Amino acid sequence: MFDSRHIRTFHAVVASGSYSAAARVLGYTQPAITQQMKALERAVGTPLFTRVGRRMQLTEAGESLSRHAETILGNLSAAEAQLRAYARLRTGRVRLCGFPSANVTLVPEALSGLAKDHPGIQVELLEGEPPESLRRLERGECDITLAFTYPGLHEAIPEEVAEVRLLEDQLTVLLPTGHPLARRRAVQLADLAEERWIAGCPRCRANLLHECAELGFVPDIRFATDDNLVVQSLVAQGLGVAMMPALVLPSLSLSRVCGRALQPAARRHIAAYVYRDHLRIPATAVVLDALKQVAGNRVGC
């Protein structure tokens, strides 16, 4: 209904007492002020000023608008300041969905850098394994999602979603420290054919089955959990071995567990997914850049 320029001019007219005085304050011509006030009166559908001799006087409608004008202009100024802050990366909120091993390694390191360089950016951290984490992006529940795939598995993502490759994460085997193979620097997957196994999330379990099938055996899976700490505890108790990504190794919290490289070498691909339009949002772009920087420091893990 209202043009903000007309409200500003109206406020100046009321404050200065006349069209000519408002024109001097705003740097307009008096006819321009007159035209804006006529346009505002047409918009509200009633006169805002009357003349009493040479003086201008507010009508009842003008009095009402005058009471609101300062609040309206204050809110507009606050909105403009907030939008400038978004554009200059002083503030913003980004919803980031990560899978468990990323949320204990990549994400905290990236957020630590953000807290120093962009303290006004707030990150809401969510958790989900792929492909559910990608569905959360499509449902609008997050702005950036992290996901992993294995060789031969390609994500089916909408055309409007961008995939940003982050790193290649080597797969390892988690063993109890007293296991005979723990003395080796690398372990042949075929040497674990008779072991009991602890499987991870459905996608990781599928990859384990595939890798073992390539070597001609079916793993004896006794437990399945997507909680990395639970996997470590089960391995520490000698209840099985587990295929784990190298990304998890720095967070090993039990002294009775060790990680060893697997042979033949296998890797999973880790990427960030974001709607292409969101790449233009400064806060989203800076969070994505932080993730890329941290991932770049881990190349080869």
Side-chain angles (χ1 to χ4, degrees):
M1 182 178 182
F2 299 135
D3 186 318
S4 62
R5 294 171 303 167
H6 296 166
I7 297 296
R8 292 186 192 280
T9 301
F10 171 79
H11 184 64
V13 171
V14 173
S16 62
S18 69
Y19 285 1
S20 58
R24 288 193 295 273
V25 169
L26 297 175
Y28 294 160
T29 64
Q30 183 172 332
I33 298 290
T34 301
Q35 290 302 316
Q36 286 195 43
M37 292 303 91
K38 286 182 178 179
L40 182 58
E41 289 180 331
R42 287 195 299 271
V44 300
T46 187
L48 298 173
F49 299 98
T50 58
R51 284 198 172 275
V52 179
R54 292 186 174 183
R55 293 187 304 105
M56 295 185 60
Q57 184 173 311
L58 288 169
T59 64
E60 187 175 358
E63 292 280 4
S64 177
L65 182 57
S66 179
R67 288 194 295 271
H68 291 292
E70 192 165 345
T71 300
I72 293 170
L73 293 175
N75 290 339
L76 282 173
S77 295
E80 289 169 354
Q82 188 169 14
L83 291 173
R84 284 194 296 270
Y86 283 128
R88 294 171 186 171
L89 296 178
R90 288 202 298 266
T91 188
R93 181 174 72 96
V94 178
R95 299 164 300 165
L96 172 63
C97 182
F99 51 91
S101 57
N103 280 351
V104 298
T105 50
L106 294 177
V107 172
E109 190 174 341
L111 297 189
S112 176
L114 278 172
K116 295 174 184 176
D117 299 334
H118 304 283
I121 295 180
Q122 297 180 347
V123 178
E124 180 182 343
L125 185 58
L126 311 172
E127 188 166 284
E129 297 276 8
E132 177 57 26
S133 57
L134 289 159
R135 297 192 189 106
R136 297 192 75 170
L137 179 70
E138 294 176 24
R139 291 195 299 262
E141 297 174 7
C142 59
D143 305 302
I144 301 172
T145 196
L146 301 177
F148 59 85
T149 59
Y150 290 101
L153 174 64
H154 301 285
E155 294 291 2
I157 58 173
E159 186 176 339
E160 60 271 23
V161 172
E163 178 185 45
V164 180
R165 289 294 183 97
L166 295 178
L167 60 87
E168 301 290 305
D169 191 16
Q170 183 176 334
L171 298 181
T172 66
V173 62
L174 217 57
L175 302 167
T177 52
H179 195 287
L181 296 179
R183 295 190 295 268
R184 300 182 185 179
R185 296 185 62 183
V187 176
Q188 295 286 334
L189 183 57
D191 292 340
L192 301 169
E194 302 302 320
E195 297 285 342
R196 293 171 298 182
W197 284 85
I198 302 156
C201 69
R203 179 166 289 193
C204 296
R205 178 180 179 137
N207 181 68
L208 171 63
L209 292 171
H210 170 76
E211 295 286 344
C212 294
E214 289 289 300
L215 296 174
F217 73 95
V218 177
D220 178 12
I221 297 175
R222 297 295 182 91
F223 305 96
T225 175
D226 58 2
D227 188 316
N228 292 324
L229 186 57
V230 173
V231 173
Q232 293 177 44
S233 297
L234 293 172
V235 173
Q237 293 296 328
L239 296 172
V241 300
M243 184 180 287
M244 296 286 281
L247 195 61
V248 176
L249 297 185
S251 64
L252 289 181
S253 59
L254 299 175
S255 59
R256 292 173 294 164
V257 175
C258 62
R260 295 292 181 263
L262 270 174
Q263 293 180 341
R267 294 176 179 267
R268 66 175 182 171
H269 313 296
I270 298 177
Y273 298 85
V274 58
Y275 277 94
R276 298 183 192 279
D277 285 347
H278 287 196
L279 291 171
R280 297 182 296 156
I281 299 174
T284 300
V286 79
V287 171
L288 191 59
D289 285 343
L291 289 167
K292 287 191 290 187
Q293 181 175 350
V294 169
N297 295 336
R298 290 176 174 266
V299 170
C301 80

